[in-house]
Amino acid sequence: MVQTLDSSLAGDTLLSARPSAPALAVLRALEAGGLEAWFVGGWVRDALMGAPSHDIDICCSGSWQESKRALEVARIAVVESGTRFGGITAVVDGERVEVTSYRYDGFYTDGRHPESIRRAERVEEDLARRDFTVNAMAWHPDRGLLDLYDGRGDIRRRIIRAVGEPRRRFEEDALRMLRAVRFASRLAFAMDPATAVALAACAPLLDQVARERVGTELDGILATGRGGEALERYPEIMCAAIPELAPCRGFDQHSRYHIYDVYGHTAHVLAAAGEADRAPALMWAALLHDVGKPGTFTRDKRGAGHFFGHPERGADMARDIMRRLARPTELIREVTLLIRYHDLPLRAEREDLLRMMQRFSGGGLDVPRLMNELLTLKRADALGKAPSCFAYIAEIERMREMVRELIANGEAYSTATLNLKGRDLIERGVQPGPRVGELLGRALDAAMAGAVSNKRDELLAYLLD
């Protein structure tokens, strides 16, 4: 179905959300300057779906210089933000509205960037270069919806479909493959069959894309909470993004505790974690928690599989992977800690939990949050195993409640949370130096063991009286 212009859908009858007043002011200013302008892209898609959208893009018939002049006549501030691609940013009442010229893209010589940008005369020509049908619509408050590729129908059908020939779209810009997965994950849409086939076939082209851009798209996929579905549905592209995942596919764990191969287990863990919490460190840790398994696999005399040292190996691999993808240093630190300790035996006992909290302490880390994420990762890990492992989930939830109580009660798990400071000891006659640190360590051990309360006077009495 090709839908050209549906003028009956003009005005409030089309969209569940209206453009903001600043965005409408920009559109009207461009038109007052003799130019044609449309709202385009993601804002139109989200407005049709009734979803909130904060970024508003306008496509315009003028050059960026002509658009700038029209806006300045209307006393609208302009930032020359992307003039190489025909783009500027209009700023009205603190709101930024991107304005770009109608354009064609030239040939893509590097699988990512067009070698040239040419002005187009008509909005239809601009829409033809866009990636997916749901993003290739334009809307005007008077003229209505311009939907050349049935993007509105694809929204109803809940599918992501490439504009034109899918393989050509991905060969032009390989990052579109990860964008397809991100949109499908974010919107909970399926992939159009022809687009899915091209996605798998073109996956190796992702090597041409800057690793930072790949990492950013993976962030977006994981943030949807549907990363597990992405792993299951689009393994070729996910393994192209992170090649270390490829050895996990089909890797039989030879364990009575596992009913999936390493890759399938990872997908189930990521799905379970995403249903509970979408914290970035948790999502990345769930994705990479068992990436070290293929390299640590051994079998005993009975043929049972073992992965001794896989958490440590996995943490090191995750650090390398995330650095390669240019993820933030603090995020990498948290992810590697979660992976390193995800398989550490942990019991619903006071000292056991405080010792685990101690491992996370130091360096400004948010210990309560990381403990909660570790327990969520352990819960998801259990749900991704054989049903015989599900009983551990009740124990994990007991631990979660105990951690909340320990924190609420002000229990010590580090010298920073100990209600005794070095100056307290010095005031009681202890000479400054290593002895102070030794005594604080003894006090912390005793407090975590429950031998003394985490109260200043009682700690001093325990150490010195």
Side-chain angles (χ1 to χ4, degrees):
M1 174 183 177
V2 176
Q3 184 175 329
T4 54
L5 182 62
D6 191 346
S7 59
S8 68
L9 295 175
D12 292 336
T13 58
L14 170 61
L15 307 178
S16 61
R18 294 286 292 169
S20 65
L24 283 169
V26 172
L27 184 90
R28 296 307 187 192
L30 293 167
E31 293 179 324
L35 305 175
E36 180 183 81
W38 297 78
F39 292 107
V40 293
W43 183 86
V44 179
R45 176 199 67 229
D46 291 343
L48 282 168
M49 295 179 64
S53 183
H54 304 291
D55 297 326
I56 300 182
D57 296 331
I58 292 176
C59 205
C60 179
S61 61
S63 65
W64 72 264
Q65 295 93 337
E66 291 170 326
S67 297
K68 180 182 177 182
R69 282 195 294 270
L71 293 171
E72 289 179 339
V73 166
R75 299 184 181 277
I76 292 175
V78 173
V79 178
E80 295 180 10
S81 53
T83 55
R84 178 186 172 194
F85 300 101
I88 57 175
T89 301
V91 184
V92 180
D93 295 335
E95 181 172 331
R96 300 170 67 89
V97 179
E98 303 299 322
V99 179
T100 56
S101 302
Y102 299 160
R103 76 177 202 233
Y104 293 107
D105 290 341
F107 291 109
Y108 287 72
T109 55
D110 64 354
R112 180 70 186 99
H113 302 98
E115 64 179 13
S116 63
I117 302 293
R118 291 185 296 142
R119 284 270 308 281
E121 297 297 324
R122 302 164 59 240
V123 65
E124 290 86 351
E125 296 166 318
D126 185 274
L127 297 177
R129 71 176 177 82
R130 295 177 180 261
D131 50 10
F132 309 112
T133 61
V134 296
N135 297 333
M137 295 178 284
W139 181 81
H140 189 278
D142 302 324
R143 297 189 293 270
L145 180 69
L146 181 59
D147 184 11
L148 302 173
Y149 305 100
D150 196 22
R152 193 180 185 206
D154 285 342
I155 288 174
R156 284 195 297 266
R157 289 183 287 270
R158 304 183 67 80
I159 62 171
I160 297 298
R161 179 165 59 91
V163 171
E165 214 301 294
R167 187 156 190 153
R168 179 181 177 184
R169 289 281 88 91
F170 297 147
E171 289 173 347
E172 287 173 344
D173 182 353
L175 191 63
R176 285 173 173 160
M177 293 185 287
L178 277 177
R179 281 171 54 83
V181 175
R182 174 165 60 83
F183 282 124
S185 299
R186 175 190 158 191
L187 301 174
F189 282 15
M191 200 72 68
D192 161 69
T195 302
V197 169
L199 197 69
C202 296
L205 298 177
L206 200 62
D207 287 344
Q208 301 172 4
V209 179
R211 295 296 90 185
E212 182 175 4
R213 300 298 300 273
V214 172
T216 299
E217 289 297 329
L218 289 172
D219 276 340
I221 292 168
L222 294 174
T224 68
R226 298 190 178 94
E229 292 181 26
L231 282 180
E232 289 186 314
R233 294 181 179 181
Y234 317 110
E236 294 85 2
I237 190 64
M238 296 300 287
C239 288
I242 302 178
E244 290 85 349
L245 290 174
C248 299
R249 291 184 71 188
F251 198 105
D252 190 335
Q253 305 200 59
H254 295 281
S255 169
R256 62 189 177 92
Y257 301 112
H258 286 278
I259 57 176
Y260 306 109
D261 65 23
V262 176
Y263 189 88
H265 166 73
T266 299
H268 281 78
V269 171
L270 188 51
E275 289 176 358
D277 189 346
R278 300 180 188 179
L282 172 63
M283 293 294 93
W284 277 98
L287 175 65
L288 300 175
H289 77 286
D290 275 354
V291 74
K293 274 190 170 180
T296 57
F297 178 67
T298 59
R299 295 180 73 174
D300 61 25
K301 294 179 179 179
R302 296 173 297 175
H306 301 281
F307 301 92
F308 299 118
H310 84 271
E312 293 78 13
R313 173 77 69 87
D316 291 341
M317 291 176 67
R319 182 182 295 108
D320 293 341
I321 291 166
M322 295 183 71
R323 283 176 177 170
R324 183 176 72 230
L325 297 173
R327 297 304 86 206
T329 300
E330 193 59 31
L331 176 64
I332 295 173
R333 183 184 179 196
E334 292 182 356
V335 170
T336 53
L337 283 171
L338 290 172
I339 293 174
R340 185 173 300 277
Y341 297 123
H342 83 272
D343 203 40
L344 185 72
L346 199 59
R347 299 166 297 172
E349 296 183 4
R350 180 180 181 280
E351 187 172 2
D352 219 29
L353 295 172
L354 288 170
R355 292 293 178 190
M356 186 65 247
M357 294 163 71
Q358 185 181 32
R359 294 183 181 95
F360 283 150
S361 65
L365 292 173
D366 186 340
V367 175
R369 175 176 58 79
L370 281 177
M371 279 298 296
N372 188 61
E373 291 177 17
L374 177 67
L375 293 171
T376 299
L377 180 58
K378 282 181 166 291
R379 180 182 183 277
D381 197 27
L383 287 170
K385 295 180 179 178
S388 60
C389 299
F390 294 176
Y392 187 44
I393 293 171
E395 180 85 351
I396 290 169
E397 295 309 316
R398 283 195 294 273
M399 287 191 275
R400 198 189 305 273
E401 184 57 35
M402 287 184 66
V403 169
R404 292 193 190 103
E405 292 177 359
L406 290 169
I407 293 170
N409 293 337
E411 298 286 356
Y413 54 85
S414 65
T415 53
T417 57
L418 189 68
N419 286 327
L420 181 69
K421 307 303 175 189
R423 64 177 177 272
D424 299 319
L425 293 169
I426 293 171
E427 288 173 358
R428 291 289 298 272
V430 177
Q431 290 297 314
R435 177 65 174 160
V436 172
E438 292 171 7
L439 289 173
L440 290 174
R442 278 182 53 199
L444 178 60
D445 287 341
M448 287 195 293
V452 61
S453 296
N454 186 26
K455 297 178 180 178
R456 178 182 175 277
D457 290 343
E458 294 186 26
L459 290 166
L460 283 170
Y462 175 83
L463 291 174
L464 304 176
D465 292 350

